[in-house]
Amino acid sequence: MNTIQLKKGVERPFYQGRLNIGQDDLSDSVFLKDGEVVRLTDYLGKFIGYAMMSFEQRAYGWILSTDENVEIDEDFIRSQIVTAIKERTPLYNQDDTNVFRLFNEIGDGIGGLSIDNFNGHLFITYYSAGIYKIRNLVVQVLIEELSPESITEQTRFSADGKMQIQNNHVTGNQAGTIQVLESGMRFNVNLNDGPMTGLFLDQRETRKSLRKNKYSHNETFLNLFAYSGSFSVAAALSGMSTTSVDLAGRTTELITDNFNVNNLKMENHTIHIMDTFDYLKFAERKNHQFDTILIDPPSFSRNKKKVFKVERDYPKLIKESLKILSPDGKLILSQNLETFSLNQFKKQIDQTLNNMGIAYTLEDVKGLPKDFKTVKGYKTGKYLKVVTIQLGKD
């Protein structure tokens, strides 16, 4: 096993439990191979931990164990996966939910690997070519422990300098469109159709919160960056009339299908295929007004007209949305950029509203659901931030 050293001056966070390794943290990384397990020390040779090199966007490697007596082998990998499965046992016994995260990267002990359960169909994501080298072991353990209906894997790492995302059916009945149940709501997902499955599992608590409230069809809900319309389904089931906006042409089909499987008619519900900022201008011209607006943009997107960066452009989204929000309406503001903390996000919201002279109450703050396990040693792993504010109250 190779030994690598940290640069002098970067060791303190690792003494305090940091688990993610950046290339700039290392004194020499030229000889390292993606997927290699190494012994990490400080610049004086003091043991820090055993790490797996994982050349990805978020990290150059992950510390697997700080116990010098542990052997990092197949039994170690197996143990991490089996432990994660056992911790999720209560989730298998839910009557109203059969979709959840089974293994959440470094939160469950192996950075760069996630496993999702979609009603017995498993979806594995590998975030580096290095972690992909243990794929056979991962699949073997899942078959032995769970006997899944099917296994599909997705690779999300660079090849020849370009990010490539590929899906591959591994075993079991070929999973096309699957219907899953979450908090009593039904959604269609597809594990073989590109980079996204149709349902972002990390937003479960937001959908659940929308669903449990009771509204009337006189109350209106605007879903910006709607994708497959899961928030719109939750709002519609709670009683609201909904408007969904997304630039992707498939959005109409995806949302309509999700409404259909929930026995929801499309009356009082509309879909607009257009740029979000263009829609906000359109809605202002038409004097539309909404009681609740949910904003859940990607961290980065590009179309023919513009480039969107969430840390830069979120205040503009808030300002434009306020023009069509009722005086006592709600904003549900979601942001998932890892490098932008909850405190930064709350400060950004507060500054935007204060600069506009808008009085508001912070009503709710949500993060990742419990199956998206996180650890103190990787603080930015708590990437999801959902802040609900109520206007017109001090």
Side-chain angles (χ1 to χ4, degrees):
M1 180 184 295
N2 282 319
T3 296
I4 60 174
Q5 287 188 335
L6 295 171
K7 290 179 180 177
K8 185 177 181 180
V10 304
E11 65 276 0
R12 178 168 293 183
F14 291 94
Y15 293 156
Q16 297 172 345
R18 177 178 160 184
L19 299 175
N20 56 307
I21 304 167
Q23 187 173 10
D24 292 340
D25 295 324
L26 304 177
S27 60
D28 184 8
S29 61
V30 174
F31 65 92
L32 296 174
K33 297 178 181 179
D34 198 354
E36 180 181 2
V37 175
V38 299
R39 185 175 184 271
L40 179 68
T41 72
D42 66 12
Y43 70 100
L44 294 174
K46 179 181 177 182
F47 179 76
I48 297 292
Y50 294 114
M52 177 181 284
M53 306 319 297
S54 181
F55 304 162
E56 54 180 283
Q57 290 181 324
R58 298 165 301 170
Y60 201 70
W62 301 95
I63 293 177
L64 301 177
S65 177
T66 56
D67 184 349
E68 196 165 6
N69 296 315
V70 167
E71 188 173 354
I72 307 299
D73 54 12
E74 287 193 0
D75 287 340
F76 176 87
I77 301 297
R78 179 184 297 274
S79 175
Q80 301 297 87
I81 297 173
V82 171
T83 298
I85 291 172
K86 289 180 178 178
E87 289 180 351
R88 269 75 169 185
T89 298
L91 299 178
Y92 278 99
N93 298 322
Q94 300 175 104
D95 293 329
D96 66 349
T97 300
N98 57 26
V99 55
F100 49 85
R101 176 143 293 188
L102 197 58
F103 192 96
N104 194 47
E105 304 191 61
I106 199 62
D108 283 301
I110 305 174
L113 171 70
S114 70
I115 307 170
D116 294 321
N117 171 61
F118 291 90
N119 192 17
H121 298 269
L122 302 184
F123 189 75
I124 311 170
T125 304
Y126 302 94
Y127 291 92
S128 77
I131 200 70
Y132 189 63
K133 293 177 181 178
I134 66 169
R135 64 180 293 269
N136 290 337
L137 177 59
V138 173
V139 170
Q140 179 185 340
V141 174
L142 293 175
I143 291 173
E144 292 173 356
E145 294 294 322
L146 296 171
S147 300
E149 295 287 334
S150 74
I151 297 178
T152 302
E153 64 185 14
Q154 182 178 95
T155 54
R156 281 180 172 260
F157 46 79
S158 297
D160 299 324
K162 295 182 179 180
M163 170 64 72
Q164 295 186 4
I165 301 175
Q166 295 182 338
N167 291 17
N168 176 46
H169 175 254
V170 178
T171 187
N173 297 322
Q174 181 75 34
T177 299
I178 304 168
Q179 191 178 111
V180 299
L181 188 67
E182 182 198 79
S183 304
M185 298 173 281
R186 299 186 183 280
F187 299 104
N188 286 327
V189 299
N190 194 313
L191 307 186
N192 298 299
D193 189 21
M196 298 185 292
T197 64
L199 186 67
F200 293 117
L201 304 189
D202 53 4
Q203 288 282 12
R204 180 189 307 115
E205 295 302 319
T206 306
R207 287 186 288 268
K208 186 176 181 180
S209 180
L210 273 171
R211 173 67 180 92
K212 73 179 182 180
N213 292 316
K214 297 299 180 184
Y215 302 94
S216 72
H217 277 304
N218 292 326
E219 293 179 274
T220 52
F221 174 81
L222 175 60
N223 183 7
L224 299 177
F225 306 94
Y227 181 38
S228 62
S230 63
F231 295 129
S232 299
V233 167
L237 286 169
S238 75
M240 286 190 279
S241 60
T242 71
T243 298
S244 304
V245 180
D246 200 289
L247 190 59
R250 291 189 58 202
T251 290
T252 298
E253 177 188 354
L254 294 174
I255 293 177
T256 301
D257 287 346
N258 277 332
F259 269 65
N260 287 339
V261 298
N262 286 281
N263 297 315
L264 288 166
K265 296 180 180 180
M266 291 302 295
E267 299 172 9
N268 300 315
H269 306 288
T270 58
I271 303 168
H272 293 271
I273 305 302
M274 59 193 304
D275 175 81
T276 293
F277 286 105
D278 289 344
Y279 174 78
L280 291 170
K281 293 177 183 176
F282 162 81
E284 183 185 8
R285 289 197 307 269
K286 295 293 183 178
N287 295 316
H288 293 330
Q289 195 170 74
F290 296 92
D291 298 298
T292 300
I293 299 177
L294 187 146
I295 307 175
D296 182 29
S299 296
F300 176 86
S301 65
R302 184 197 306 271
N303 61 41
K304 293 179 180 179
K305 293 183 177 181
K306 60 178 76 74
V307 172
F308 177 87
K309 294 183 178 180
V310 70
E311 68 272 33
R312 180 192 67 193
D313 297 321
Y314 213 116
K316 184 179 178 182
L317 275 173
I318 294 173
K319 292 175 184 177
E320 295 301 313
S321 297
L322 285 170
K323 295 176 182 178
I324 57 172
L325 184 68
S326 63
D328 58 350
K330 286 184 183 180
L331 285 178
I332 303 175
L333 306 171
S334 177
Q335 205 255 46
N336 62 9
L337 184 64
E338 276 196 354
T339 55
F340 208 77
S341 70
L342 173 60
N343 285 337
Q344 287 176 296
F345 189 41
K346 288 165 69 175
K347 183 177 180 180
Q348 185 184 63
I349 294 168
D350 187 64
Q351 287 180 340
T352 302
L353 295 174
N354 284 340
N355 289 341
M356 298 179 69
I358 304 291
Y360 73 96
T361 299
L362 181 63
E363 187 174 279
D364 186 42
V365 176
K366 285 184 170 58
L368 292 167
K370 291 182 179 180
D371 47 315
F372 280 71
K373 186 176 177 181
T374 58
V375 287
K376 292 181 179 179
Y378 184 51
K379 293 180 180 179
T380 54
K382 296 182 178 181
Y383 61 88
L384 183 65
K385 306 159 283 287
V386 185
V387 177
T388 301
I389 62 172
Q390 173 78 55
L391 298 195
K393 296 183 180 181
D394 292 312

